[in-house]
Amino acid sequence: MTERYTLPLALIQLEVPPPQVVAKIGEQPAWFIDALQLQADDYIIVRPHRGDALPGWQEISGAILSGSWAMVTDHAGWSERTAAWIRGAIEAQLPLLGVCYGHQLMAYALGGEVGDNPRGWERGLQTVTRTASDAWLNGLPAHFSAWLSHRQSVLAPPPQATVLARSALDACQVLRYSPQAFSVQFHPEFSREIMTACTPADVQPDSAVMGDTDWARTLLQRFWQQVRPRDQEASQR
């Protein structure tokens, strides 16, 4: 009889936050673990910037690529290695979710253009507007709030990508690349505490209030539900 067990979700951490941020709220994987209430056997953490090998397609159920204080346009070795892995993951039809830096890295890896946002630094609680219909967005309002903090953006999406949402300062807030791979510029894993900790000391913290439903967090949870059922037996069929 074939043994069945759930494959872990890979939390791919892309660089380390500044020390003052780590001291307050830890590093990026902890934010996703808390947001999704993951258990220890639900995930693995992969740190390419430390030299970690990126996982094989049959070893994981999917992957979340985190935000970062780095810039995609710096073309760091660990970032380029992760970009190559993304291309292979797309070909292998692995479920992927890129967040902020991960969003930009996915777009860059697949042929899009990433650079400094000509409209400036987008940060705080901002309004995201849906621009296309998509099953992943079903039930979401036409406009919803999300936490943002980024200086670079996807300036031109990859040819095969569909833009699903935008904001006042960024035309590519949500991208879908395939039936199981998409990315978001905003931070669905953020809470106000995380946003405040990530805000520089010389910048006034955002005082806007999230509505009754955190729709950005809902999208993160939907991705987890899509990934969670995939098991070892199913992946070998």
Side-chain angles (χ1 to χ4, degrees):
M1 181 176 179
T2 302
E3 181 182 4
R4 297 175 64 93
Y5 60 92
T6 302
L7 294 169
L9 170 69
L11 300 176
I12 301 180
Q13 179 181 343
L14 301 173
E15 261 286 6
V16 181
Q20 67 273 18
V21 174
V22 175
K24 293 177 180 177
I25 54 171
E27 300 182 4
Q28 300 98 310
W31 312 341
F32 289 100
I33 292 166
D34 289 346
L36 292 172
Q37 298 183 330
L38 300 179
Q39 303 303 306
D41 59 352
D42 286 335
Y43 65 90
I44 59 171
I45 298 174
V46 183
R47 298 178 174 92
H49 59 281
R50 293 187 181 176
D52 289 0
L54 287 150
W57 324 131
Q58 301 301 319
E59 299 173 1
I60 57 175
S61 58
I64 295 176
L65 297 114
S66 80
S68 179
W69 273 253
M71 299 292 179
V72 170
T73 54
D74 288 341
H75 302 294
W78 58 263
S79 185
E80 294 296 308
R81 182 163 62 91
T82 306
W85 181 87
I86 289 168
R87 289 188 286 272
I90 291 290
E91 291 181 6
Q93 300 182 356
L94 186 74
L96 295 179
L97 174 62
V99 174
C100 197
Y101 186 96
H103 162 77
Q104 297 164 18
L105 188 61
M106 285 182 68
Y108 160 75
L110 298 172
E113 180 186 355
V114 173
D116 291 347
N117 187 340
R119 298 179 179 88
W121 180 11
E122 187 176 36
R123 63 179 182 266
L125 193 64
Q126 303 294 332
T127 299
V128 175
T129 299
R130 295 176 57 177
T131 57
S133 297
D134 187 85
W136 190 46
L137 304 182
N138 279 351
L140 268 70
H143 310 280
F144 61 93
S145 297
W147 297 108
L148 284 135
S149 182
H150 67 108
R151 298 176 186 270
Q152 293 201 326
S153 295
V154 176
L155 303 179
Q160 76 273 34
T162 301
V163 179
L164 302 180
R166 62 170 297 137
S167 65
L169 299 184
D170 195 316
C172 295
Q173 281 290 338
V174 181
L175 293 174
R176 180 183 280 281
Y177 308 92
S178 72
Q180 61 282 326
F182 36 92
S183 64
V184 297
Q185 181 59 70
F186 52 82
H187 284 277
E189 81 282 17
F190 268 26
S191 62
R192 175 175 294 283
E193 178 188 11
I194 295 173
M195 183 74 252
T196 300
C198 293
T199 301
D202 60 346
V203 175
Q204 184 69 25
D206 192 296
S207 60
V209 177
M210 179 69 74
D212 292 338
T213 301
D214 186 340
W215 292 106
R217 180 68 58 85
T218 296
L219 293 180
L220 179 62
Q221 292 165 341
R222 285 181 180 178
F223 177 77
W224 170 232
Q225 291 304 316
Q226 169 191 341
V227 167
R228 192 173 187 175
R230 189 168 181 243
D231 60 38
Q232 177 71 7
E233 184 181 53
S235 72
Q236 293 178 344
R237 289 174 185 165

